[in-house]
Amino acid sequence: MVIVTRTNLKLSKGKLAAQVAHAAVSLALYAKGHHFGNVGKWFSKWYDEGQKKVVVKVDTEKEFHKLKAKADDMGVPSVIIQDAGHTEIPAGTVTVLGLGPAPEEILDGITGELGLL
């Protein structure tokens, strides 16, 4: 699983951690519900092997949409998280993009050139 963050938002560490957690939970619940096909297999392997997560960064929201389109084309689960607006940022602000779970080589084909957070 890869979570992509935006560096231009300047979120506090706690807020960013919460947004990353939202993406991870959303992806896991989605993937767990798909018992058949690649997504179900990918979820089982990911879960059994320790639920690996990597957090990377991009500069802007626009980059999320390119990555999400690539993931969608490859059949990789993806979710864009929008904030509810109760604390640091306005409601509807796109904060993170979650991808996976999927095999590492597939995720690397989407996000492998991005720097770690």
Side-chain angles (χ1 to χ4, degrees), residues 17-101:
Q19 299 302 298
V20 168
H22 288 320
V25 169
S26 294
L27 287 168
L29 289 173
Y30 171 82
K32 185 178 180 189
H34 287 75
H35 302 290
F36 304 102
N38 285 337
V39 174
K41 292 177 200 171
W42 295 344
F43 173 79
S44 294
K45 185 172 168 83
W46 170 81
Y47 188 82
D48 292 343
E49 292 179 354
Q51 306 101 49
K52 181 179 180 181
K53 293 165 227 50
V54 176
V55 182
V56 297
K57 59 188 175 182
V58 295
D59 292 328
T60 66
E61 177 186 345
K62 187 175 184 180
E63 294 170 87
F64 282 174
H65 299 288
K66 292 177 188 175
L67 296 169
K68 185 175 186 331
K70 191 170 184 180
D72 291 346
D73 287 345
M74 298 172 75
V76 172
S78 62
V79 62
I80 289 181
I81 300 299
Q82 292 183 299
D83 193 66
H86 299 301
T87 56
E88 299 178 16
I89 53 180
T93 301
V94 172
T95 57
V96 298
L97 166 68
L99 305 168

